[in-house]
Amino acid sequence: MIGPKSSPTEAVGSLRSSQPSEDELSGGFESDDFLVKDETEVELEKLVFGDNAGFHASLDADRPGRFSRLQSEKLEGTPYDEAGSGLEGGFEGLDDADLFFFDSVPSARANRNSSTRFEGDKAKITDDEHAQAWLDSDDERIVVSLASNPYLRKLRLTESEDIMNGREYVKRLRHQFERLYPVPEWANPPRRREGPRKHRSRLSNGSASTEAEESESDVSSRSSEISTQPLTKLMKDTSSLLKPAAADSFSLRRLRPGIIDIQRTKDIGDPQSSAITSLAFHPFHPLLLSSGPSSMLSLHHLSPHSPSPNLLLTSLHLRRTPLSTSTFLPLLGSKIFFSGRRRYFHVWDLMSGKVEKVSRIYGHSDQQKSMERFKLSPCGRWMGLVGSGHKGGGVINILNTSTRQWVAEARVEGRGGVADFAWWSDGDGMSIIGKGGEAVEWNGREKRVVARWIDEGAVGTTIIAVGGKISGISQLGGDRWVAVGSSSGIVNLYDRRMWENAVPERPKPVRAFDQLVTPTSHLDFSMDGQVLCMASRWKRDALRLVHLPSCTVYSNWPTAGTPLGRVSSVAWSPGGEYLAVGNEQGKIRLWEIRS
């Protein structure tokens, strides 16, 4: 049944009357009936939450001079219920910046307390370079016995030493670790140059220099003493990377025969995807060039003793061109010549980065069907290319390295064509040998053959090399030694000092080496002419070193555990202190020779 509507005022009044009052919710107790806090509860609340007195006392201690004791007492006496009037009246004369402070920075009093607290502990550390940031008091109470533990006996200074505390034990462990793992050079802070400071003359114009000028002069003088160059200067200049190798006393020292002091260093780069068929050192920069059938030409920075040894600097890839020979331009080293079994070769200019392709030899293209075998003269002017064989002998075409134009040719009479050739040390001629053992001495100035001779017992001659330019006869380029390898593995060594009057038709070798039993593929003299390296790629670990002039083979190297593999390339560094060996697995090993 619908009745009359009530007004809004009556509805609100009825709603208020239906709600319980505060007295009913409190159970009928008055506000004065709450329990009073006892002394224990008040003390606990003070310790946990603090009170006004403690807050202002600490504020006064941290900010001395900001508040007077009268103001602090006035604030402490103000009831907390009257905080609205009392606090406002106490802080009316203060600036806004004085009302707050940052507690992240310790106060002067805290610094004094902390300094006195740890002063005794720091005084105990007398032998450390820097004070420790954290000290553990338990280290003093730990007792360690060195004699009872066999692993800790090496920490003793004397045999009778046994018991020590924890702090001394930590120092001994740190010292032992630094002995086993020295601090690397890159982790050491930059050192200051030893020497007197530069004193700058100042004009005395009656006005004293300010403190800012003095501090600026001190900073400039200190910065001038730092020996390390800025990073920006290092990144802008490559002189630190391509600096010429320092001429040390290695060439002045003599290697003893019988036993060689040789040490293996870090390998050159990662293993490549094919055999290493060619290796070459830069004439004066610490760079090593490698190439192979993978059509990849790699340039490595030679630094075996650095934290990141023998890094790969750059590489060049030629599509569908398996590389056979690659070398630097002698003396300058600014260009790289490389080729494969193709009718062309390439020249890479390292200064400009341009790669030039030389595709033909005008007038002699029928004799040069492949340019895979070439050698550059030591003077850097000429390039010799082994031509295609024909009936009755072979030919070597000589080009100018600057113009890439044909200059001359050297012919060899005999069956089988040219086996190999080697430039004289002065670059004015070459020694050429045929596969039948017939050798000729060709003079580039006269462009004719000046001498002929036959290798003793030659059976399938494979390679020839000349070296030892320190002493020799001037008629044949000033080289003393001539080494000839054959398919039987026999290597004949000739001394050209015996040919001073005339070159005999059938000379006698001073020594015949029979350590190799497979065809000789590599003969390479060191730059100083003290060592001859001979190797064969047809047998694993087939490499030997010969001392000159004693003509004896080193007996202590290589050993049965020397990781040579099937040797596919060999190269000596310009100073003769490093020997690089490439194998068919694509690895480049590096050994350092110490006299």
Side-chain angles (χ1 to χ4, degrees):
M1 184 175 182
I2 300 175
K5 296 183 180 180
S6 59
S7 62
T9 306
E10 295 177 355
V12 174
S14 61
L15 180 61
R16 289 180 177 177
S17 61
S18 61
Q19 293 180 353
S21 62
E22 294 180 1
D23 296 340
E24 294 176 357
L25 290 176
S26 59
F29 295 99
E30 298 293 338
S31 59
D32 297 339
D33 295 338
F34 284 105
L35 297 178
V36 181
K37 299 178 182 179
D38 55 359
E39 296 180 359
T40 304
E41 187 176 356
V42 172
E43 185 68 19
L44 181 60
E45 183 179 351
K46 179 180 178 181
L47 294 176
V48 175
F49 301 104
D51 57 352
N52 294 342
F55 170 74
H56 294 299
S58 60
L59 185 62
D60 188 19
D62 290 335
R63 293 287 182 173
R66 295 293 185 181
F67 305 103
S68 61
R69 292 187 175 274
L70 182 60
Q71 291 175 337
S72 300
E73 293 176 359
K74 182 186 296 184
L75 293 176
E76 292 175 5
T78 305
Y80 197 75
D81 298 339
E82 301 176 358
S85 60
L87 292 178
E88 291 180 359
F91 290 100
E92 288 179 354
L94 297 177
D95 297 335
D96 294 340
D98 298 335
L99 296 176
F100 306 96
F101 70 95
F102 295 97
D103 58 354
S104 59
V105 181
S107 60
R109 181 179 299 179
N111 289 336
R112 290 194 298 269
N113 295 337
S114 60
S115 60
T116 55
R117 187 184 308 128
F118 294 103
E119 185 177 359
D121 294 336
K122 289 185 178 180
K124 297 179 182 179
I125 306 175
T126 56
D127 54 348
D128 290 348
E129 183 180 359
H130 301 286
Q132 299 181 7
W134 179 74
L135 299 174
D136 191 357
S137 58
D138 293 338
D139 292 345
E140 294 290 345
R141 295 189 291 269
I142 296 177
V143 178
V144 181
S145 176
L146 302 181
S148 60
N149 193 337
Y151 296 100
L152 301 180
R153 293 175 183 174
K154 57 180 173 289
L155 302 179
R156 298 181 298 178
L157 301 179
T158 59
E159 186 177 0
S160 60
E161 190 176 9
D162 185 11
I163 303 299
M164 65 176 53
N165 58 12
R167 184 169 299 180
E168 183 66 24
Y169 175 66
V170 171
K171 294 178 183 178
R172 298 287 180 89
L173 289 178
R174 185 181 295 109
H175 180 68
Q176 180 69 12
F177 180 82
E178 292 177 354
R179 287 177 54 190
L180 298 178
Y181 305 97
V183 180
E185 296 181 359
W186 57 266
N188 292 327
R191 298 180 179 179
R192 299 181 182 272
R193 293 179 180 177
E194 298 293 337
R197 288 190 175 185
K198 298 180 180 179
H199 298 280
R200 299 182 178 180
S201 60
R202 299 181 180 180
L203 298 177
S204 57
N205 53 359
S207 60
S209 60
T210 60
E211 296 181 0
E213 294 176 353
E214 294 178 357
S215 61
E216 183 178 359
S217 62
D218 293 338
V219 171
S220 61
S221 62
R222 287 195 300 267
S223 60
S224 63
E225 297 176 1
I226 302 298
S227 60
T228 57
Q229 57 181 345
L231 181 60
T232 55
K233 183 178 179 181
L234 178 65
M235 300 301 293
K236 290 180 180 179
D237 189 12
T238 59
S239 59
S240 60
L241 177 64
L242 297 179
K243 64 180 180 180
D248 53 4
S249 59
F250 185 86
S251 59
L252 303 178
R253 295 179 291 179
R254 287 292 178 181
L255 299 177
R256 60 178 182 177
I259 298 177
I260 186 171
D261 187 5
I262 188 170
Q263 181 69 31
R264 181 186 174 187
T265 63
K266 294 290 184 180
D267 294 348
I268 305 296
D270 298 329
Q272 301 186 18
S273 57
S274 66
I276 307 297
T277 58
S278 181
L279 287 174
F281 283 89
H282 196 274
F284 49 87
H285 289 318
L287 301 175
L288 179 64
L289 177 68
S290 63
S291 62
S294 62
S295 305
M296 184 69 70
L297 196 71
S298 302
L299 197 61
H300 296 268
H301 179 213
L302 187 64
S303 55
H305 303 294
S306 63
S308 300
N310 306 326
L311 294 177
L312 176 64
L313 296 181
T314 185
S315 60
L316 179 66
H317 182 265
L318 276 77
R319 297 181 58 185
R320 298 186 296 273
T321 307
L323 300 178
S324 301
T325 308
S326 61
T327 184
F328 289 100
L329 181 65
L331 298 183
L332 299 178
S334 58
K335 297 179 181 180
I336 296 177
F337 289 71
F338 55 98
S339 66
R341 187 169 292 183
R342 298 291 187 270
R343 290 180 177 267
Y344 51 83
F345 66 92
H346 293 83
V347 181
W348 183 10
D349 192 345
L350 297 179
M351 296 300 178
S352 62
K354 181 182 178 181
V355 178
E356 179 185 357
K357 180 180 179 181
V358 182
S359 57
R360 67 174 63 184
I361 301 176
Y362 291 98
H364 302 272
S365 57
D366 56 339
Q367 299 178 357
Q368 199 69 49
K369 297 180 180 180
S370 177
M371 299 185 182
E372 59 179 320
R373 298 171 60 191
F374 72 88
K375 292 182 180 179
L376 301 182
S377 62
C379 62
R381 295 178 296 174
W382 318 114
M383 176 182 182
L385 289 161
V386 178
S388 304
H390 63 281
K391 285 187 177 182
V395 64
I396 294 179
N397 292 311
I398 301 173
L399 309 181
N400 189 303
T401 56
S402 300
T403 62
R404 281 75 158 174
Q405 299 296 322
W406 183 87
V407 177
E409 68 175 13
R411 288 186 176 272
V412 177
E413 303 298 332
R415 301 181 59 181
V418 176
D420 194 19
F421 74 98
W423 286 97
W424 296 347
S425 60
D426 57 1
D428 292 335
M430 63 177 64
S431 299
I432 312 171
I433 193 165
K435 295 182 180 179
E438 305 88 356
V440 298
E441 303 292 340
W442 186 81
N443 192 316
R445 293 183 179 271
E446 303 176 4
K447 295 184 179 180
R448 68 181 184 91
V449 176
V450 297
R452 297 177 184 270
W453 54 279
I454 299 177
D455 181 32
E456 185 182 60
V459 179
T461 304
T462 58
I463 190 172
I464 186 174
V466 297
K469 62 181 181 181
I470 298 177
S471 60
I473 57 177
S474 58
Q475 290 83 352
L476 299 178
D479 300 294
R480 176 180 179 181
W481 306 103
V482 179
V484 180
S486 62
S487 59
S488 62
I490 302 296
V491 177
N492 292 331
L493 184 64
Y494 298 91
D495 190 353
R496 283 187 173 180
R497 293 188 304 177
M498 302 178 182
W499 304 354
E500 187 173 359
N501 297 327
V503 179
E505 183 180 357
R506 293 182 179 272
K508 294 291 184 181
V510 295
R511 182 70 185 273
F513 302 99
D514 57 355
Q515 281 75 18
L516 304 179
V517 296
T518 52
T520 308
S521 58
H522 299 90
L523 289 176
D524 199 353
F525 288 91
S526 60
M527 296 299 294
D528 53 5
Q530 297 190 62
V531 184
L532 168 65
C533 179
M534 53 184 185
S536 173
R537 67 180 306 172
W538 309 109
K539 185 179 180 181
R540 187 178 180 86
D541 300 335
L543 184 144
R544 295 294 183 272
L545 296 181
V546 180
H547 175 265
L548 299 175
S550 65
C551 301
T552 57
V553 179
Y554 286 106
S555 59
N556 66 320
W557 193 88
T559 63
T562 304
L564 293 173
R566 293 183 180 270
V567 179
S568 57
S569 57
V570 172
W572 289 95
S573 64
E577 65 272 18
Y578 291 106
L579 173 64
V581 179
N583 56 27
E584 293 187 352
Q585 296 179 350
K587 299 179 180 179
I588 306 176
R589 312 290 191 188
L590 186 65
W591 280 271
E592 181 182 2
I593 297 179
R594 307 171 182 175
S595 65

